[in-house]
Amino acid sequence: MTESAVAAVRPGRLRAAWASAHAPVPGVPRWARAAALTVPLVVLPSSLWRIAGVALHLPIVRHTGGDESGNLPSWLPIELYVVLLSILSELLAFTAVGLVSTWGEVFPKWVPFLRGRRVPTLAAVVPGAIGATVLTCLWTWVFVMLAFGRNIAGDRLTADSPLNADTWQGALVVVSYVPLVAWGPLLAAVTFAYHRRRAHGA
Protein backbone atom coordinates (compact mmCIF):
# COMPACT_ATOMS: atom_id res chain seq x y z
CA MET A 1 0.00 0.00 0.00
CA THR A 2 1.35 3.41 -0.96
CA GLU A 3 1.94 6.18 1.58
CA SER A 4 -0.97 8.16 0.16
CA ALA A 5 -3.26 5.16 0.54
CA VAL A 6 -2.17 4.71 4.16
CA ALA A 7 -2.81 8.39 4.84
CA ALA A 8 -6.28 8.02 3.36
CA VAL A 9 -7.09 4.96 5.46
CA ARG A 10 -6.00 6.37 8.82
CA PRO A 11 -8.41 9.34 8.93
CA GLY A 12 -11.21 6.97 7.94
CA ARG A 13 -10.33 4.60 10.77
CA LEU A 14 -10.09 7.48 13.21
CA ARG A 15 -13.49 8.80 12.16
CA ALA A 16 -15.00 5.33 12.47
CA ALA A 17 -13.49 4.83 15.94
CA TRP A 18 -14.69 8.28 17.03
CA ALA A 19 -18.21 7.65 15.71
CA SER A 20 -18.32 4.24 17.39
CA ALA A 21 -17.15 5.57 20.77
CA HIS A 22 -19.57 8.49 20.70
CA ALA A 23 -22.57 6.61 19.37
CA PRO A 24 -25.58 7.20 21.63
CA VAL A 25 -26.30 4.30 23.95
CA PRO A 26 -29.68 2.61 23.42
CA GLY A 27 -32.21 4.07 25.81
CA VAL A 28 -30.65 7.55 26.00
CA PRO A 29 -33.44 10.14 25.75
CA ARG A 30 -33.02 12.66 22.96
CA TRP A 31 -33.09 15.52 25.46
CA ALA A 32 -30.25 13.95 27.48
CA ARG A 33 -28.04 13.61 24.41
CA ALA A 34 -28.80 17.21 23.42
CA ALA A 35 -27.97 18.39 26.95
CA ALA A 36 -24.70 16.43 27.02
CA LEU A 37 -23.59 17.83 23.66
CA THR A 38 -24.48 21.34 24.83
CA VAL A 39 -22.17 21.23 27.87
CA PRO A 40 -18.88 21.72 25.95
CA LEU A 41 -20.54 24.53 23.99
CA VAL A 42 -21.51 26.53 27.10
CA VAL A 43 -17.91 26.31 28.32
CA LEU A 44 -16.38 27.30 24.98
CA PRO A 45 -17.07 31.10 24.99
CA SER A 46 -15.20 31.68 28.26
CA SER A 47 -12.31 29.51 27.09
CA LEU A 48 -12.03 31.44 23.85
CA TRP A 49 -12.23 34.77 25.70
CA ARG A 50 -9.40 33.77 28.06
CA ILE A 51 -7.17 32.62 25.22
CA ALA A 52 -7.91 35.67 23.07
CA GLY A 53 -7.63 38.26 25.80
CA VAL A 54 -4.94 36.89 28.09
CA ALA A 55 -2.87 34.45 26.04
CA LEU A 56 -3.00 36.31 22.71
CA HIS A 57 -3.26 39.80 24.27
CA LEU A 58 -6.05 40.95 21.98
CA PRO A 59 -7.52 44.31 23.10
CA ILE A 60 -10.68 42.82 24.61
CA VAL A 61 -9.50 42.94 28.22
CA ARG A 62 -9.56 46.08 30.31
CA HIS A 63 -6.18 46.04 32.05
CA THR A 64 -5.84 47.73 35.43
CA GLY A 65 -2.06 48.04 35.35
CA GLY A 66 -1.49 45.74 38.33
CA ASP A 67 0.12 42.32 38.50
CA GLU A 68 -2.25 40.10 36.54
CA SER A 69 -0.40 36.86 37.28
CA GLY A 70 -2.00 36.70 40.74
CA ASN A 71 -0.59 33.87 42.84
CA LEU A 72 0.91 31.95 39.93
CA PRO A 73 4.49 30.71 40.44
CA SER A 74 7.16 32.64 38.59
CA TRP A 75 7.97 29.67 36.34
CA LEU A 76 4.40 29.51 34.97
CA PRO A 77 3.59 32.30 32.49
CA ILE A 78 0.00 33.46 32.75
CA GLU A 79 -0.42 32.89 29.00
CA LEU A 80 0.45 29.20 29.35
CA TYR A 81 -1.71 28.89 32.47
CA VAL A 82 -4.72 30.33 30.65
CA VAL A 83 -4.30 27.99 27.68
CA LEU A 84 -3.95 24.96 29.96
CA LEU A 85 -6.94 26.07 32.05
CA SER A 86 -9.07 26.46 28.93
CA ILE A 87 -8.08 23.03 27.60
CA LEU A 88 -8.76 21.44 30.99
CA SER A 89 -12.16 23.15 31.18
CA GLU A 90 -13.15 21.80 27.78
CA LEU A 91 -11.94 18.29 28.64
CA LEU A 92 -13.95 18.32 31.86
CA ALA A 93 -16.99 19.61 30.00
CA PHE A 94 -16.60 16.88 27.40
CA THR A 95 -16.95 14.16 30.05
CA ALA A 96 -20.68 14.91 30.00
CA VAL A 97 -20.78 13.37 26.52
CA GLY A 98 -19.55 10.12 28.06
CA LEU A 99 -22.75 9.90 30.08
CA VAL A 100 -24.71 9.33 26.87
CA SER A 101 -22.03 7.47 24.86
CA THR A 102 -20.63 3.96 24.82
CA TRP A 103 -17.34 5.00 26.45
CA GLY A 104 -19.34 6.10 29.49
CA GLU A 105 -20.61 2.54 30.00
CA VAL A 106 -17.70 0.40 28.78
CA PHE A 107 -14.06 1.40 29.25
CA PRO A 108 -12.41 2.11 25.85
CA LYS A 109 -9.65 -0.14 24.51
CA TRP A 110 -6.96 2.44 25.27
CA VAL A 111 -7.61 2.33 29.04
CA PRO A 112 -5.00 -0.03 30.57
CA PHE A 113 -6.29 -2.95 32.68
CA LEU A 114 -9.93 -1.82 32.37
CA ARG A 115 -10.48 -1.99 28.62
CA GLY A 116 -13.74 -3.67 27.72
CA ARG A 117 -15.07 -3.74 31.28
CA ARG A 118 -18.31 -2.12 32.35
CA VAL A 119 -17.97 1.28 34.00
CA PRO A 120 -19.43 1.05 37.53
CA THR A 121 -22.51 3.22 37.71
CA LEU A 122 -21.38 5.11 40.80
CA ALA A 123 -17.97 5.79 39.24
CA ALA A 124 -19.75 8.10 36.83
CA VAL A 125 -22.73 9.22 38.91
CA VAL A 126 -20.86 10.37 42.03
CA PRO A 127 -18.35 12.65 40.23
CA GLY A 128 -21.15 13.88 37.96
CA ALA A 129 -23.39 14.76 40.90
CA ILE A 130 -20.58 16.43 42.86
CA GLY A 131 -19.44 18.36 39.79
CA ALA A 132 -22.99 19.49 38.99
CA THR A 133 -23.51 20.70 42.57
CA VAL A 134 -20.21 22.58 42.76
CA LEU A 135 -20.62 24.17 39.33
CA THR A 136 -24.21 25.23 39.99
CA CYS A 137 -23.32 26.83 43.32
CA LEU A 138 -20.14 28.47 42.00
CA TRP A 139 -21.50 30.13 38.88
CA THR A 140 -24.81 31.07 40.48
CA TRP A 141 -22.85 32.79 43.25
CA VAL A 142 -20.58 34.57 40.76
CA PHE A 143 -23.44 36.08 38.80
CA VAL A 144 -25.51 36.95 41.85
CA MET A 145 -22.49 38.88 43.13
CA LEU A 146 -22.02 40.56 39.75
CA ALA A 147 -25.70 41.56 39.74
CA PHE A 148 -25.05 43.38 43.02
CA GLY A 149 -21.88 45.00 41.66
CA ARG A 150 -19.48 42.77 43.57
CA ASN A 151 -16.81 40.24 42.70
CA ILE A 152 -16.72 36.60 43.82
CA ALA A 153 -15.10 37.61 47.13
CA GLY A 154 -17.93 40.04 47.82
CA ASP A 155 -15.86 43.19 47.29
CA ARG A 156 -17.53 46.05 45.45
CA LEU A 157 -16.44 46.44 41.83
CA THR A 158 -14.53 49.62 41.09
CA ALA A 159 -15.03 51.75 38.00
CA ASP A 160 -11.81 50.40 36.44
CA SER A 161 -12.56 46.75 37.19
CA PRO A 162 -12.32 44.38 34.17
CA LEU A 163 -15.72 43.02 35.27
CA ASN A 164 -17.44 46.38 35.11
CA ALA A 165 -20.18 45.83 32.51
CA ASP A 166 -20.45 49.58 31.84
CA THR A 167 -17.62 49.16 29.30
CA TRP A 168 -17.76 46.98 26.20
CA GLN A 169 -14.81 44.95 27.48
CA GLY A 170 -16.61 44.25 30.73
CA ALA A 171 -19.84 43.42 28.92
CA LEU A 172 -17.91 40.98 26.71
CA VAL A 173 -16.56 39.22 29.80
CA VAL A 174 -20.08 38.81 31.18
CA VAL A 175 -21.45 37.59 27.85
CA SER A 176 -18.60 35.09 27.55
CA TYR A 177 -19.01 33.71 31.05
CA VAL A 178 -22.78 33.77 31.56
CA PRO A 179 -23.33 30.47 29.66
CA LEU A 180 -21.37 28.77 32.46
CA VAL A 181 -24.46 29.17 34.66
CA ALA A 182 -26.01 26.36 32.60
CA TRP A 183 -23.06 23.96 33.03
CA GLY A 184 -24.11 22.62 36.43
CA PRO A 185 -27.83 22.14 35.71
CA LEU A 186 -27.11 20.50 32.34
CA LEU A 187 -24.61 18.13 33.93
CA ALA A 188 -27.09 17.34 36.71
CA ALA A 189 -29.79 16.47 34.17
CA VAL A 190 -27.47 14.24 32.13
CA THR A 191 -26.17 12.53 35.29
CA PHE A 192 -29.73 11.86 36.43
CA ALA A 193 -30.60 10.33 33.04
CA TYR A 194 -27.44 8.20 33.18
CA HIS A 195 -28.23 6.91 36.66
CA ARG A 196 -31.83 6.18 35.78
CA ARG A 197 -30.84 4.29 32.64
CA ARG A 198 -28.14 2.24 34.35
CA ALA A 199 -30.34 1.53 37.38
CA HIS A 200 -32.98 0.04 35.08
CA GLY A 201 -30.37 -2.01 33.25
CA ALA A 202 -30.82 -0.24 29.94
Side-chain angles (χ1 to χ4, degrees):
M1 184 178 289
T2 63
E3 291 184 6
S4 60
V6 171
V9 169
R10 285 177 179 169
R13 293 183 64 183
L14 287 174
R15 283 193 296 270
W18 178 271
S20 175
H22 295 88
V25 177
V28 173
R30 182 175 297 179
W31 66 262
R33 179 161 175 76
L37 294 174
T38 301
V39 171
L41 298 179
V42 301
V43 179
L44 187 59
S46 58
S47 297
L48 293 177
W49 179 88
R50 283 194 300 269
I51 292 174
V54 180
L56 300 180
H57 302 287
L58 297 182
I60 61 172
V61 180
R62 192 176 182 196
H63 298 284
T64 60
D67 182 11
E68 298 179 353
S69 62
N71 296 321
L72 292 178
S74 58
W75 54 265
L76 180 60
I78 189 170
E79 293 84 358
L80 176 60
Y81 167 77
V82 163
V83 171
L84 294 176
L85 175 63
S86 299
I87 292 173
L88 178 61
S89 297
E90 288 300 322
L91 290 176
L92 288 174
F94 194 74
T95 60
V97 179
L99 297 175
V100 298
S101 304
T102 55
W103 59 273
E105 301 205 3
V106 178
F107 287 105
K109 294 180 179 179
W110 53 265
V111 179
F113 309 112
L114 296 174
R115 57 177 64 112
R117 296 187 181 184
R118 294 279 287 177
V119 176
T121 302
L122 292 181
V125 170
V126 172
I130 293 174
T133 302
V134 171
L135 289 166
T136 300
C137 293
L138 171 63
W139 292 112
T140 300
W141 172 259
V142 167
F143 283 97
V144 166
M145 288 293 98
L146 282 178
F148 285 98
R150 299 180 180 275
N151 61 22
I152 190 172
D155 300 325
R156 185 168 294 281
L157 296 177
T158 60
D160 62 347
S161 171
L163 295 175
N164 191 336
D166 292 338
T167 64
W168 71 265
Q169 293 102 326
L172 182 60
V173 177
V174 174
V175 169
S176 299
Y177 275 79
V178 75
L180 291 172
V181 174
W183 188 358
L186 286 171
L187 179 58
V190 176
T191 302
F192 171 77
Y194 178 90
H195 179 267
R196 186 175 182 182
R197 184 177 72 254
R198 295 291 303 273
H200 287 80

